[in-house]
Amino acid sequence: MSLQAEIKDILGQFGIQENNSGASTGTEWIKTTGASIASVSPVDAQVIANVTMATEAEYHLVIDKAQTAFVEWRKIPAPKRGEIVRQLAERIRFYKEPLGKLVSYEMGKSLQEGLGEVQEMIDICDFAVGLSRQLYGLTMHSERPGHRMYEQYHPLGIVGIISAFNFPVAVWNWNTALAWVCGDVCVWKPSEKTPLTAIACQRITEEVFAANGVPEGVSGLVIGDGEIGKIMAKDTRVPLISATGSTRMGKSVGESVGQRLGRSLLELGGNNAIIITPTADLKMVVPGAVFGAVGTAGQRCTSTRRLIIHASIYDKVTEALSSAYKQLSIGNPLDQNNHVGPLIDQDAVNNYLSAIEAAKKEGGKVLVEGGVLSGPGYESGCYVKPCIIEAENHFAIVQHETFAPILYVMKYTGDIHEAIAIQNGVPQGLSSAIMTNDLKESEAFLSAAGSDCGIANVNIGTSGAEIGGAFGGEKETGGGRESGSDAWKVYMRRQTNTINYSDSLPLAQGIKFDL
C-alpha cells in the first residue's frame, strides 16, 4: 500500500473527510462557518484534508455546552470518572498505530516519536486512573475543643486547552486525563497547523464517552486561529487556561487571564543546555546531545539548544559530534531508517535560515554546515540539515529560542559554577542537563544554587520526560506544571472546612464576644 493510500485509510478510521467541521461538543459536530484551512503535510507537501474553522459564535456554543455539562460531571464520583478515562486508554491503545502515523505525517516527526507521543497519552490516562482514588486533602488539629478541620479539593469548571503543533495529541491528553478525573470539563483549541490529529482524538473520545453516557460538553473542540485563543483567554467562564507554545503567545495569554484574575498554566519556550564536564562519558554525551538537538527536527520545547563544554575536552567533543552529524539520515519521517524529518512549514524554514545568518553576523563559527535540502524526497522544501555553530552565550540569537535543529557549542574554562552560570544566563528555564561522573559536580548542579530550570537531569539529555514527574519550567517558560506528581492540584480549587461538633461556639485566637 502506498503512503497516500495508507493515510487515506487512516483518515477513514477516524471519520475524517475531505472537508471537516472545526467544532464539536463531544456529541455533536457543529456546522462551522469560518475560513477554511488546509492541513498540508510537511513530509511531501500534500494537502491531507480541509477544516472549516469555528467562529466566535460557534466557540460560544461549545462553551455553553461545557458549562451545562460541568454541573452533572462534577457530581459523578471520581473513581467512576477514572473508569471512563481507563476505557479511553484502551481505545487509544487500539488506535495507537494509525494515530501515531497520522501525527508523524501531519506534524513531520519520526514515526517512532509519533508512536511515542501516543504512548504518552496512554501513560497519562493510566496515571489518572490511579489518581482518581487519590485526590487527597489534609486534616489538621483545631485549637478549639470539639472542632475538626480539614482541606478538600473540588473541580474548577471549564479548562481551556491551547496546544502547539509539535506535540499535537499528547499535551491535550496531559491536561484532559487529569482534568476529567478531577471533575472538570475541557474545551480544546489545537494548533491550526495540526487540526486533523485533534479531530482524530475527539472522535476516539466520543466513542468512549457515548458508550458511558457522558454528558455532552465534557470534551469540547474548537479549531480556530489565534483570535479564538484570545477570546478563550479573556472568557470569565473558563477559570483555567492551559497554554503551550511560544513565550510571546504565553505572555499574551497570561496577561488576558491575569486581568480577569483567572488561572493560567503556561508551558512556553525553552533554551536548554547540557553541561559537559571533563569526567563525562563520551559514549553517553554524543547520543544524548545529538538526539536532544535533532529529534523532532529541533522542534521540541525540551530540544537541546546549547552545549557548554569544558575547554579541556572541547575539541574532542565537537569532533565526535561533527562525526555523528555526518551519519544522520534526513528524509521521510515515516521511514524508520531516517533520523531527522522536516520542519513544520516554510515559516519555520525561514526562521532557521535567519538564525544561522544572525549567528554568523555575531561572530559565530559554523562547525557543521546547515542548509535546505532539495531534490527527490524533499519536494516540500521543509527538510533542513542540522547544524552546529560555535558561539558565545551572550549572542542575541543564542538568547533566543529558534525552533529548529541548530546547536550552539561554547567553552567554559573554570569550575562547575562557571558552567552553571552560563547555563542559567538565558531568559528561559525549562530543561537542563549535566554530563559528569563527579558526584560533587552533579550535586552542585541539582542544588538551590545550581540549575534554575524546572527540569534538571544528570547523565541524560534535556529531551524526554516521564509521566510520573511534574513537567514545566521557570522564568520565561511560564512556571506551569503538567503531568505527574501533584500537578493535578492546578485543576482543582482548595477548600478549608471547620466542623464544630461541640455545644458551644468558641472563637479562634481566644477572642471573647459575649452577648
Side-chain angles (χ1 to χ4, degrees):
M1 183 184 295
S2 69
L3 176 59
Q4 295 302 324
E6 187 174 12
I7 295 300
K8 185 176 181 180
D9 177 67
I10 289 171
L11 297 178
Q13 292 183 53
F14 297 120
I16 298 173
Q17 304 170 350
E18 184 177 345
N19 296 289
N20 301 273
S21 166
S24 168
T25 61
T27 299
E28 176 187 357
W29 285 83
I30 297 169
K31 184 174 176 57
T32 44
T33 57
S36 178
I37 55 171
S39 176
V40 179
S41 172
V43 174
D44 53 13
Q46 295 296 308
V47 174
I48 313 172
N50 299 288
V51 178
T52 303
M53 293 193 293
T55 63
E56 180 175 355
E58 289 143 9
Y59 160 82
H60 289 301
L61 289 175
V62 176
I63 292 292
D64 289 343
K65 289 291 185 181
Q67 277 191 299
T68 302
F70 175 60
V71 175
E72 297 301 319
W73 182 244
R74 65 186 177 185
K75 297 177 185 176
I76 298 172
K80 292 187 181 297
R81 297 192 297 256
E83 165 58 18
I84 295 169
V85 172
R86 185 196 67 78
Q87 293 177 37
L88 178 62
E90 289 303 303
R91 291 311 288 167
I92 296 172
R93 284 183 173 92
F94 177 80
Y95 285 113
K96 179 178 177 179
E97 184 173 349
L99 183 56
K101 286 182 178 178
L102 183 57
V103 168
S104 178
Y105 188 63
E106 186 176 38
M107 184 268 151
K109 63 175 57 177
S110 73
L111 178 58
Q112 284 303 309
E113 290 179 278
L115 294 171
E117 182 172 348
V118 178
Q119 185 62 48
E120 282 192 39
M121 299 173 72
I122 296 166
D123 292 344
I124 195 64
C125 285
D126 288 348
F127 178 88
V129 173
L131 181 65
S132 69
R133 295 180 183 270
Q134 301 179 72
L135 301 174
Y136 298 136
L138 296 171
T139 61
M140 60 280 292
H141 292 280
S142 172
E143 67 183 42
R144 291 167 284 186
H147 285 61
R148 181 167 69 90
M149 295 179 64
Y150 69 93
E151 291 179 346
Q152 61 180 331
Y153 287 84
H154 295 303
L156 282 173
I158 301 174
V159 175
I161 302 167
I162 301 173
S163 63
F165 73 87
N166 60 329
F167 279 85
V169 297
V171 170
W172 165 75
N173 209 196
W174 279 14
N175 286 276
T176 54
L178 299 191
W180 284 332
V181 299
C182 288
D184 297 314
V185 300
C186 300
V187 175
W188 180 22
K189 193 210 94 60
S191 169
E192 57 268 39
K193 295 181 180 182
T194 51
L196 303 182
T197 48
I199 293 174
C201 289
Q202 185 73 357
R203 297 284 192 187
I204 296 171
T205 305
E206 287 173 353
E207 286 185 33
V208 177
F209 281 16
N212 286 274
V214 173
E216 180 182 10
V218 173
S219 176
L221 173 67
V222 182
I223 297 172
D225 57 17
E227 290 305 310
I228 290 294
K230 291 178 182 178
I231 292 167
M232 180 183 282
K234 295 177 181 178
D235 195 336
T236 57
R237 298 169 296 174
V238 184
L240 172 65
I241 297 290
S242 175
T244 303
S246 68
T247 296
R248 177 188 56 78
M249 179 276 291
K251 287 180 177 180
S252 174
V253 169
E255 181 179 2
S256 295
V257 176
Q259 285 180 344
R260 60 179 175 86
L261 299 181
R263 298 190 194 183
S264 56
L265 192 170
L266 302 175
E267 298 288 359
L268 311 175
N271 197 344
N272 316 295
I274 301 177
I275 296 171
I276 303 174
T277 76
T279 66
D281 185 340
L282 204 60
K283 294 192 301 294
M284 299 173 70
V285 167
V286 173
V290 173
F291 174 73
V294 310
T296 323
Q299 297 173 114
R300 291 181 176 224
C301 52
T302 55
S303 290
T304 305
R305 309 287 177 203
R306 298 173 293 143
L307 292 187
I308 303 163
I309 309 167
H310 193 272
S312 64
I313 58 169
Y314 182 83
D315 291 342
K316 185 177 182 181
V317 172
T318 53
E319 287 172 8
L321 289 171
S322 298
S323 176
Y325 268 51
K326 293 176 183 176
Q327 300 174 48
L328 292 173
S329 179
I330 306 168
N332 186 330
L334 285 94
D335 181 346
Q336 297 188 49
N337 293 315
N338 291 325
H339 302 102
V340 185
L343 293 174
I344 185 65
D345 56 22
Q346 287 299 317
D347 286 341
V349 173
N350 293 336
N351 288 336
Y352 158 85
L353 294 172
S354 296
I356 293 173
E357 289 307 309
K360 290 178 180 178
K361 287 181 180 179
E362 291 191 77
K365 177 184 177 183
V366 176
L367 302 184
V368 175
E369 198 73 44
V372 181
L373 295 169
S374 59
Y378 303 127
E379 289 85 359
S380 70
C382 294
Y383 292 88
V384 302
K385 293 188 286 186
C387 70
I388 301 176
I389 301 176
E390 186 175 77
E392 298 292 337
N393 201 56
H394 62 78
F395 287 1
I397 192 61
V398 175
Q399 294 281 311
H400 173 77
E401 179 192 38
T402 303
F403 238 43
I406 302 173
L407 179 63
Y408 300 110
V409 295
M410 57 200 70
K411 298 177 185 177
Y412 76 100
T413 57
D415 62 13
I416 187 61
H417 302 289
E418 178 192 348
I420 291 171
I422 295 171
Q423 185 227 268
N424 293 346
V426 293
Q428 309 84 358
L430 178 53
S431 187
S432 58
I434 185 172
M435 293 289 185
T436 182
N437 283 324
D438 186 314
L439 178 63
K440 290 182 178 180
E441 289 181 332
S442 66
E443 290 298 321
F445 179 73
L446 299 174
S447 73
S451 170
D452 64 3
C453 296
I455 299 169
N457 299 326
V458 177
N459 290 331
I460 62 172
T462 60
S463 286
E466 294 187 30
I467 287 301
F471 179 90
E474 303 300 327
K475 302 190 293 188
E476 285 194 358
T477 302
R481 292 297 184 274
E482 294 176 310
S483 192
S485 185
D486 64 349
W488 62 271
K489 291 180 180 179
V490 76
Y491 302 96
M492 305 194 84
R493 59 182 177 88
R494 189 198 313 236
Q495 185 181 82
T496 301
N497 307 115
T498 305
I499 299 171
N500 179 4
Y501 58 91
S502 73
D503 295 324
S504 61
L505 187 61
L507 301 178
Q509 292 85 47
I511 294 173
K512 301 295 183 182
F513 187 71
D514 297 323
L515 292 176

